[in-house]
Amino acid sequence: MLNRVRSAVAHLVSAGGAPPPRPKSPDPPAAPPPAPRSPAAGPGSGAPARAAEARASFSRPTFLQLSPGGLRRADDHAGRAVQSPPDTGRRLPWSTGYAEVINAGKSRHNEDQACCEVVHVEGRRSVSGAAREPSLGQGLCFYYWGLFDGHAGGGAAEMASRLLHRHIREQLKDLVEILQDPTPPPLCLPSTPGAPGPSDASPPGGPQACWPSQKEVTHESLVVGAVENAFRLMDEQMAWERHGHQVDGGCCALVVIYLLGKVYVANAGDSRAIIVRNGEIIPMSREFTPETERQRLQLLGFLKPELLGGEFTHLEFPRRVQPKELGQRVLYRDQNMTGWAYKKIELEDLRFPLVCGEGKKARVMATIGVTRSLGDHSLKVCSSSLPIKPFLSCFPEVRVYDLTQYEHCPDDVLILGTDGLWDVTSDCEVAATVDRVLSAYEPNDPTRYTALAQALVLGARGTPRDRGWRLPNNKLGSGDDISVFVIPLGGPGSYS
Amino acid sequence: MLNRVRSAVAHLVSAGGAPPPRPKSPDPPAAPPPAPRSPAAGPGSGAPARAAEARASFSRPTFLQLSPGGLRRADDHAGRAVQSPPDTGRRLPWSTGYAEVINAGKSRHNEDQACCEVVHVEGRRSVSGAAREPSLGQGLCFYYWGLFDGHAGGGAAEMASRLLHRHIREQLKDLVEILQDPTPPPLCLPSTPGAPGPSDASPPGGPQACWPSQKEVTHESLVVGAVENAFRLMDEQMAWERHGHQVDGGCCALVVIYLLGKVYVANAGDSRAIIVRNGEIIPMSREFTPETERQRLQLLGFLKPELLGGEFTHLEFPRRVQPKELGQRVLYRDQNMTGWAYKKIELEDLRFPLVCGEGKKARVMATIGVTRSLGDHSLKVCSSSLPIKPFLSCFPEVRVYDLTQYEHCPDDVLILGTDGLWDVTSDCEVAATVDRVLSAYEPNDPTRYTALAQALVLGARGTPRDRGWRLPNNKLGSGDDISVFVIPLGGPGSYS
């Protein structure tokens, strides 16, 4: 992730120093692994950088139970030790496996963060106003896993790892009774909990009679809505608190909750979740990047041209148009098109395209390589006061997997990984590693899922030879931070 | 389709009469088949209606070769005879099968239109400015099929059936040489055909050097772009000419072109295309309705609230919120959400929702049931001057099927149908009919595809008993216009 916002970082950390050169075009191709502590983002980039980074205290997930010495080793860009929860300590809920490794020097600290919790939700009593059985007021539990891939600073990822599940809990409080009641959710709740509940029935006649029917809303879609609004509120909290609490940068968020038999996978960014079930791969997320969200971004730039600040054009070109091409016809596509056509170049087509580049080098406003994230409220176009946040969405896409619809064996797993894993590992390679590692352990050995997470991280990181972190096939491994959760869907300890 | 814009029709045809009651809520559930000539859309709705309809001359596709008597029979809502090209006449290109039937009285005429042509594209010579082999200037041929499902009048569908393929031809003229040249398309063409072509190479250094690479554009994506722009230009032409040339209403458009080994399926509306290959169903389009495009519509309403005219809210509710619910919490979702949540009702939530209803009864602005179409430039919210057109897109989604990648047998077909077919027939039922009908004919009998089209139309229309057009399972058949193309992918005459 870090390479993808290098320009932004350079801008942010040099706020008090000399202005950086105006990088209107995307940063140069990342050469993984770069020299440790790249000047753009590392502490070598001058006093302002050091000051900015010093504000945020470095931490790793508490479930790693790192001693001060362990924290130093986890922070070592040269050794890149793979970290997992200690085998001797309390195991993660649901026998979850976890492993992580720091990047190869692209930022001072590991900007990934993670959280794994069992969360109890106490319902607000009599939310619907109706009298209920006392047992229904006893609350709900959900299992929660979150991966947060930070960029342009670690503050947002750290804050999200501490607080996002609390926002989800808060959103679910109103739903505790409703979710446990098999009847369809009420359309309307009283404004004050405990007040008499309104009737759902429409009055006879009147304009309401013209509405053909009332749309049915499922319990599942209430949970989805709760997760969506929790992401929004988390993002709003980051906006309010960003000055007082060092919420620097932004983060992609990949979150899983297990509630009442269903697994909800919420993704905002370019992390990825897949289920490997009986060797079959079931995608549980998709990545949100300038390429996958090109049309949303272009439409916004088209409808709100003031957001482009006269510096960018919402049209896409295969490369930046040159002044000498004025009047000639050049390939382009606009927000309505998936194909390409030729257009006659006018003066405003010479502006920098809102969306440019391909694959990992694709950028919004020549700056950021993901289009959904939490935070990023201070992110500006390099050497400009133009905010990028209006183009970024904090809303996740939520996919639902009904765990009760399939009988799972101990080798069926849900894998969550930040882009450091997926940049160099295909879904099929992950599935092969799942098979290889899990078959080497007894099915009831609870350490097998952490071993699998470690194998996935090691396989993506490579080994330190030939001036780079090399994979067995001699390709370069990922120089990025890598974090992986392995959630068993049918193994020992599941559903416990 | 017709039921879905009944309010709009009522408004349009009553322009000179007394204003209709303010139908802020969607039209009542359609009861197929309605009584012939429903007052809302038929000629019984007063003199202005008659005047408006009289302007447009009624026609059926020329390839049906209908005599005046045949035209009268095709226009008979009581008999609903199934129409196909005569077996004695010149066969449709590519041995295509076709059948259609008029609706059960919902509009005066059949508002579906169809076109099937072989189109020759003469290239503009030396478009790229480079010297080419003479043979490359000889032009291209494409096969073309179009279904146009009109609403609120037949003018738009008729105009599109006459002109859309010409717009496509015009867009392809610049591409004749490029598409036949295996090298990647040039980024840049001279402004004047025949002028020296510019170099594609970027200059060394300068801002261009920062752009990591030039995005590669495929030949296929140029054809897609040409079709997309042809739809846009067709829609613009309807806007210019709508007063002088009786372009009343709008139409959904489902278009297929076959060019250089590939089939391009372009869909704007709620018609549908599927391939049935060896019994397997391959969807080749998706429908664009207020439900499938809810988030695009809501986003537009949110970003451009002036388009809502103070009459609508961009939020969705399961039913219209009532004044007595002010201050209470009601289920809603906004443009960023797929799930539902509760919100406290404020005054502006009492406005009519931009998107409401479910399934075939879903509406934009309580008026229209499709969200992509050509035309509709005069469509207004009932009893209001608020235009609906800004929410409708004329752009198709284009899917590509490479015919050379698979060996097709004579029973493999591409089926195109207006919503009259799909409202009462599932993809699987269509596939079963394909199997049943085609296996009853010799594989080299070219009439088998028209027989299949007729069977599909008959199966969707039902038979006239029990005061309705009944299907064998005693369900109601479609009371709508139905049009079906059957395009053989591997049968006799294919590729000819």
Side-chain angles (χ1 to χ4, degrees):
Chain A
M1 169 61 64
L2 253 159
N3 257 324
R4 313 190 77 181
V5 284
R6 188 180 298 172
S7 323
V9 176
H11 173 64
L12 287 168
V13 299
S14 67
R22 188 177 170 82
K24 265 304 201 56
S25 47
D27 41 35
R37 317 261 163 139
S38 82
S45 54
R50 248 178 252 119
E53 296 237 344
R55 279 207 312 267
S57 66
F58 174 61
S59 77
R60 299 310 310 147
T62 50
F63 60 67
L64 288 177
Q65 303 172 43
L66 291 175
S67 64
L71 194 63
R72 274 194 303 277
R73 280 191 296 280
D75 206 23
D76 171 20
H77 299 273
R80 300 187 78 194
V82 175
Q83 304 291 326
S84 280
D87 196 23
T88 52
R90 201 165 60 90
R91 207 161 282 135
L92 286 181
W94 203 307
S95 297
T96 301
Y98 176 82
E100 65 164 52
V101 72
I102 195 171
N103 62 73
K106 294 196 290 180
S107 66
R108 178 160 176 181
H109 296 301
N110 187 343
E111 291 180 353
D112 282 1
Q113 293 292 344
C115 180
C116 177
E117 295 276 349
V118 183
V119 184
H120 183 257
V121 191
E122 199 165 335
R124 294 195 181 95
R125 291 190 70 82
S126 296
V127 156
S128 67
R132 302 268 174 168
E133 292 295 315
S135 64
L136 290 178
Q138 287 173 356
L140 281 173
C141 258
F142 67 89
Y143 286 78
Y144 172 88
W145 300 262
L147 284 186
F148 306 93
D149 181 353
H151 50 249
E158 206 170 321
M159 188 173 183
S161 72
R162 280 188 293 108
L163 298 179
L164 181 55
H165 53 294
R166 298 188 188 180
H167 280 288
I168 295 175
R169 181 181 61 190
E170 205 58 32
Q171 292 301 304
L172 289 174
K173 274 187 178 172
D174 272 351
L175 307 177
V176 166
E177 288 183 13
I178 295 166
L179 293 176
Q180 292 175 97
D181 184 342
T183 60
L187 174 83
C188 188
L189 300 180
S191 51
T192 320
S199 159
D200 271 2
S202 305
Q208 202 55 52
C210 305
W211 197 295
S213 67
Q214 179 174 314
K215 190 170 267 192
E216 195 168 310
V217 172
T218 62
H219 289 86
E220 182 180 303
S221 70
L222 286 187
V223 178
V224 172
V227 172
E228 289 171 328
N229 272 332
F231 271 66
R232 176 176 58 78
L233 291 164
M234 181 75 254
D235 190 61
E236 288 176 8
Q237 188 182 358
M238 287 180 180
W240 303 327
E241 300 191 5
R242 70 182 185 274
H243 300 301
H245 293 75
Q246 299 101 32
V247 189
D248 51 334
C251 68
C252 297
L254 172 60
V255 157
V256 173
I257 77 171
Y258 169 80
L259 177 66
L260 296 170
K262 288 181 179 168
V263 174
Y264 299 79
V265 181
N267 186 43
D270 64 355
S271 296
R272 188 187 300 169
I274 65 170
I275 282 174
V276 182
R277 188 182 71 192
N278 198 19
E280 182 197 357
I281 294 157
I282 304 167
M284 289 303 296
S285 68
R286 64 184 169 113
E287 286 89 82
F288 296 98
T289 68
E291 286 194 301
T292 63
E293 294 215 281
R294 172 184 65 84
Q295 289 183 281
R296 175 180 75 76
L297 300 166
Q298 286 186 297
L299 179 65
L300 184 55
F302 172 72
L303 293 175
K304 295 268 187 191
E306 65 274 20
L307 298 178
L308 302 172
E311 299 184 46
F312 292 88
T313 166
H314 78 279
L315 295 180
E316 187 188 12
F317 298 96
R319 62 159 169 73
R320 186 166 187 183
V321 179
Q322 302 164 34
K324 67 174 185 181
E325 287 162 341
L326 258 177
Q328 293 183 343
R329 286 174 303 155
V330 170
L331 284 171
Y332 83 104
R333 55 181 174 175
D334 74 13
Q335 73 282 356
N336 292 310
M337 298 169 69
T338 57
W340 294 81
Y342 290 95
K343 88 175 287 285
K344 195 169 174 177
I345 294 301
E346 296 160 48
L347 208 54
E348 64 186 38
D349 298 325
L350 300 181
R351 294 175 185 166
F352 203 88
L354 173 62
V355 174
C356 67
E358 279 186 291
K360 292 300 283 184
K361 292 170 199 155
R363 292 287 181 283
V364 182
M365 294 181 144
T367 303
I368 185 165
V370 290
T371 51
R372 302 214 185 181
S373 63
L374 299 168
D376 286 318
H377 296 280
S378 307
L379 192 64
K380 303 277 194 301
V381 174
C382 304
S383 309
S384 160
S385 61
L386 201 60
I388 297 173
K389 183 69 179 172
F391 291 95
L392 306 178
S393 168
C394 65
F395 276 82
E397 182 187 68
V398 186
R399 298 195 182 181
V400 188
Y401 181 82
D402 189 341
L403 216 51
T404 65
Q405 291 297 300
Y406 196 89
E407 196 162 324
H408 295 90
C409 76
D411 290 3
D412 296 337
V413 286
L414 169 57
I415 310 276
L416 316 183
T418 52
D419 65 338
L421 172 68
W422 305 104
D423 286 349
V424 297
T425 323
S426 69
D427 292 0
C428 287
E429 287 166 339
V430 166
T433 305
V434 168
D435 181 51
R436 179 175 55 81
V437 174
L438 293 187
S439 63
Y441 285 76
E442 290 295 321
N444 59 356
D445 181 345
T447 68
R448 64 207 299 257
Y449 303 111
T450 287
L452 172 55
Q454 290 169 338
L456 289 169
V457 170
L458 270 169
R461 181 200 72 167
T463 48
R465 57 192 167 90
D466 293 332
R467 297 181 59 230
W469 292 85
R470 294 276 162 177
L471 299 177
N473 55 11
N474 211 32
K475 281 189 187 157
L476 279 175
S478 171
D480 204 353
D481 305 317
I482 311 170
S483 307
V484 172
F485 271 126
V486 176
I487 305 170
L489 297 178
S494 289
Y495 314 68
S496 66
Chain B
M1 167 62 63
L2 253 159
N3 258 324
R4 313 190 75 181
V5 283
R6 187 179 296 171
S7 322
V9 175
H11 173 63
L12 286 169
V13 299
S14 67
R22 185 177 174 82
K24 265 306 200 55
S25 47
D27 42 32
R37 316 264 164 140
S38 81
S45 53
R50 247 178 255 118
E53 296 238 342
R55 281 206 311 268
S57 66
F58 173 59
S59 77
R60 298 311 310 146
T62 51
F63 60 68
L64 288 178
Q65 304 173 45
L66 292 175
S67 64
L71 194 62
R72 272 194 303 279
R73 280 191 297 279
D75 206 23
D76 171 20
H77 298 273
R80 299 189 77 195
V82 175
Q83 303 291 326
S84 280
D87 195 24
T88 52
R90 200 166 61 89
R91 207 160 284 135
L92 285 181
W94 202 307
S95 297
T96 301
Y98 177 80
E100 64 165 52
V101 73
I102 194 171
N103 62 73
K106 294 196 289 180
S107 66
R108 177 160 177 179
H109 295 302
N110 186 343
E111 291 180 351
D112 281 2
Q113 293 292 345
C115 180
C116 178
E117 295 275 352
V118 184
V119 184
H120 184 257
V121 191
E122 201 165 333
R124 295 195 181 96
R125 291 192 69 82
S126 296
V127 157
S128 66
R132 301 268 175 168
E133 291 296 312
S135 64
L136 289 179
Q138 287 174 356
L140 282 174
C141 260
F142 66 90
Y143 287 78
Y144 172 87
W145 300 261
L147 283 187
F148 306 94
D149 182 352
H151 49 249
E158 206 170 319
M159 187 172 185
S161 72
R162 282 188 293 106
L163 297 179
L164 181 55
H165 54 293
R166 299 188 188 180
H167 279 289
I168 295 175
R169 183 180 61 189
E170 206 57 33
Q171 292 300 305
L172 289 173
K173 273 186 179 172
D174 273 350
L175 306 177
V176 166
E177 288 183 15
I178 294 166
L179 293 177
Q180 291 175 99
D181 184 341
T183 60
L187 174 82
C188 189
L189 301 180
S191 51
T192 321
S199 157
D200 271 3
S202 304
Q208 202 56 50
C210 305
W211 197 296
S213 67
Q214 180 174 316
K215 190 170 269 193
E216 195 166 312
V217 172
T218 62
H219 290 86
E220 182 179 302
S221 70
L222 286 187
V223 178
V224 172
V227 173
E228 289 172 327
N229 272 332
F231 271 66
R232 177 175 58 79
L233 291 163
M234 181 74 254
D235 190 62
E236 288 176 9
Q237 188 182 359
M238 287 180 180
W240 302 327
E241 300 190 5
R242 70 182 186 273
H243 300 302
H245 293 75
Q246 298 100 32
V247 190
D248 52 334
C251 68
C252 298
L254 172 59
V255 157
V256 173
I257 77 171
Y258 169 80
L259 176 66
L260 296 171
K262 288 181 178 168
V263 174
Y264 298 80
V265 181
N267 187 44
D270 64 353
S271 296
R272 186 187 301 171
I274 64 169
I275 282 174
V276 181
R277 189 181 71 193
N278 199 19
E280 183 197 356
I281 293 157
I282 304 167
M284 289 303 296
S285 68
R286 64 186 168 113
E287 287 88 82
F288 296 97
T289 68
E291 285 192 303
T292 64
E293 295 215 280
R294 172 184 64 85
Q295 288 184 281
R296 175 178 76 74
L297 300 166
Q298 285 186 298
L299 180 66
L300 184 56
F302 172 72
L303 293 175
K304 296 268 188 192
E306 65 273 20
L307 298 177
L308 302 173
E311 299 184 47
F312 292 88
T313 166
H314 77 279
L315 295 181
E316 188 188 12
F317 298 96
R319 62 159 169 73
R320 187 165 187 185
V321 180
Q322 301 163 36
K324 67 174 186 181
E325 288 162 341
L326 259 176
Q328 292 183 343
R329 287 175 301 155
V330 170
L331 283 171
Y332 83 104
R333 54 180 176 177
D334 73 14
Q335 73 280 357
N336 293 310
M337 297 168 71
T338 56
W340 294 82
Y342 291 94
K343 88 175 285 286
K344 195 169 175 178
I345 294 301
E346 296 160 49
L347 209 55
E348 63 185 36
D349 299 324
L350 300 181
R351 294 174 184 167
F352 204 88
L354 172 63
V355 175
C356 67
E358 279 186 290
K360 293 300 282 183
K361 293 169 199 155
R363 293 288 181 282
V364 182
M365 294 180 144
T367 304
I368 185 164
V370 290
T371 51
R372 302 213 184 182
S373 63
L374 299 168
D376 287 317
H377 296 279
S378 306
L379 191 63
K380 303 277 194 301
V381 174
C382 304
S383 309
S384 160
S385 61
L386 201 60
I388 296 172
K389 182 70 178 172
F391 290 95
L392 305 178
S393 169
C394 65
F395 276 82
E397 182 187 68
V398 186
R399 297 194 184 183
V400 188
Y401 180 81
D402 189 341
L403 216 50
T404 65
Q405 292 296 300
Y406 194 89
E407 197 161 326
H408 294 90
C409 77
D411 290 2
D412 296 337
V413 287
L414 170 58
I415 309 278
L416 315 183
T418 52
D419 65 338
L421 173 68
W422 305 105
D423 285 350
V424 296
T425 324
S426 69
D427 292 0
C428 288
E429 287 167 338
V430 167
T433 304
V434 168
D435 181 51
R436 178 174 55 80
V437 174
L438 294 187
S439 63
Y441 284 77
E442 290 295 321
N444 59 356
D445 181 345
T447 67
R448 65 206 300 257
Y449 303 111
T450 286
L452 172 55
Q454 290 169 337
L456 289 170
V457 170
L458 270 169
R461 182 200 71 166
T463 49
R465 58 192 167 88
D466 295 331
R467 298 182 58 231
W469 292 86
R470 293 277 162 177
L471 300 177
N473 55 11
N474 211 32
K475 282 190 187 155
L476 279 174
S478 172
D480 204 351
D481 304 318
I482 310 171
S483 306
V484 172
F485 270 127
V486 175
I487 306 171
L489 297 179
S494 288
Y495 312 40
S496 65

